[in-house]
């Protein structure tokens, strides 16, 4: 996999996916943070159903904190791990109120200090809400990066570092969503749709399907 091939891969992905955006519904950085915390081991569709009821009622740290854990659970009980997520979200809201004037911090360190926020969630918020060139490596990005050989790695951190090193500079910000959406709908886990893939001839996956 060389520099020219990577550039062409991202050019084609950008043409095939002209609006590479998260499929989580949100209207401000705080809503995005809550949606991403809820999305761990859950589908975006499931999260959107829950937040469609939650956010009209409470979409600020103060409003969600006022609900309390039990109140919040009523809105998110359809989502996996809702008990621990409710506890983390209430604690996160309290920290945002006390330490950050209810604003979402724009550093990975400050974000990762929030309960329920790991490196991946921090990277999603930094990239999607604030336009930072970060890579939140989920299962889709990990799979696509290794299959295509764009940025292979043995673990998510290795893939993240390799993507930041190898993705062409002009695609560093949209690359996160380009790769997620390509992995979600084309380069799928069990049987990749190689016949419908816009980078079929550039991909270095050895077990391509017809």
């Amino acid at each position: 996999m060389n520099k020219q091939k990577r550039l062409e891969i991202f050019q084609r992905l950008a043409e095939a996916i002209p609006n590479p955006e998260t499929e989580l519904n949100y209207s401000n950085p705080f809503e995005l943070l809550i949606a991403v915390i809820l999305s761990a081991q859950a589908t975006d569709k499931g999260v959107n159903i829950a937040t469609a009821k939650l956010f009209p009622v409470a979409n600020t740290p103060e409003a969600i904190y006022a609900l309390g854990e039990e109140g919040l659970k009523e809105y998110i009980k359809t989502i996996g791990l809702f008990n621990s997520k409710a506890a983390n979200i209430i604690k996160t809201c309290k920290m945002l109120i006390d330490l950050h004037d209810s604003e979402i911090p724009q550093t990975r360190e400050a974000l990762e200090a929030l309960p329920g926020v790991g490196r991946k969630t921090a990277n999603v918020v930094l990239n999607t809400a604030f336009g930072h060139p970060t890579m939140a490596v989920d299962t889709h990005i990990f799979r696509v990066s290794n299959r295509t050989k764009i940025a292979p790695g043995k673990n998510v951190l290795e893939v993240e570092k390799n993507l930041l090193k190898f993705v062409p500079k002009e695609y560093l910000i949209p690359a996160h969503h380009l790769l997620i959406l390509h992995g979600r709908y084309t380069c799928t886990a069990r049987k990749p749709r190689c016949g419908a893939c816009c980078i079929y001839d550039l991909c270095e996956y050895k077990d391509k399907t017809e």
Side-chain angles (χ1 to χ4, degrees), residues 12-62:
R12 290 193 197 176
L13 288 174
E15 287 176 14
I17 310 169
N19 296 301
E21 298 174 345
T22 180
E23 293 185 312
L24 290 168
N25 295 332
Y26 73 99
S27 61
N28 58 52
F30 176 72
E31 287 187 0
L32 176 66
L33 174 65
I34 298 305
V36 178
I37 292 173
L38 291 173
S39 72
Q41 298 180 44
T43 65
D44 287 0
K45 184 178 179 181
V47 171
N48 288 339
I49 290 170
T51 57
K53 295 176 182 178
L54 171 64
F55 289 157
V57 174
N59 72 338
T60 65
E62 289 85 355

Side-chain angles (χ1 to χ4, degrees), residues 9-194:
I9 282 173
F10 280 98
Q11 286 173 339
R12 290 193 197 176
L13 288 174
E15 287 176 14
I17 310 169
N19 296 301
E21 298 174 345
T22 180
E23 293 185 312
L24 290 168
N25 295 332
Y26 73 99
S27 61
N28 58 52
F30 176 72
E31 287 187 0
L32 176 66
L33 174 65
I34 298 305
V36 178
I37 292 173
L38 291 173
S39 72
Q41 298 180 44
T43 65
D44 287 0
K45 184 178 179 181
V47 171
N48 288 339
I49 290 170
T51 57
K53 295 176 182 178
L54 171 64
F55 289 157
V57 174
N59 72 338
T60 65
E62 289 85 355
I64 288 184
Y65 185 71
L67 288 176
E69 267 187 60
E70 295 307 314
L72 178 57
K73 285 178 187 178
E74 286 302 308
Y75 290 96
I76 66 171
K77 60 187 177 183
T78 55
I79 297 173
L81 308 175
F82 72 92
N83 283 312
S84 60
K85 288 176 181 177
N88 283 332
I89 287 171
I90 294 299
K91 290 173 187 171
T92 281
C93 288
K94 187 74 166 72
M95 286 182 67
L96 289 173
I97 295 165
D98 291 347
L99 302 179
H100 302 288
D101 295 322
S102 298
E103 297 292 327
I104 304 302
Q106 292 194 40
T107 68
R108 180 184 286 110
E109 293 74 20
L111 283 166
E112 286 188 35
L114 300 171
V117 178
R119 186 180 183 89
K120 185 173 75 172
T121 296
N123 281 340
V124 172
V125 172
L126 290 171
N127 178 269
T128 306
F130 302 120
H132 292 204
T134 58
M135 297 289 169
V137 181
D138 67 352
T139 54
H140 298 301
I141 293 182
F142 186 80
R143 179 174 66 254
V144 172
S145 297
N146 276 291
R147 266 188 189 163
T148 60
K149 301 296 190 286
I150 292 171
K154 295 176 183 177
N155 55 59
V156 292
L157 186 58
E158 200 171 303
V159 168
E160 178 188 329
K161 289 179 178 179
N162 284 337
L163 282 168
L164 291 172
K165 179 179 178 182
F166 293 130
V167 170
K169 283 187 178 180
E170 59 266 46
Y171 292 103
L172 271 174
I173 294 175
H176 167 68
H177 288 112
L178 288 172
L179 293 173
I180 283 179
L181 294 169
H182 184 66
R184 187 171 288 169
Y185 297 109
T186 303
C187 194
T188 49
R190 292 183 182 177
K191 189 178 181 183
R193 299 174 58 238
C194 296

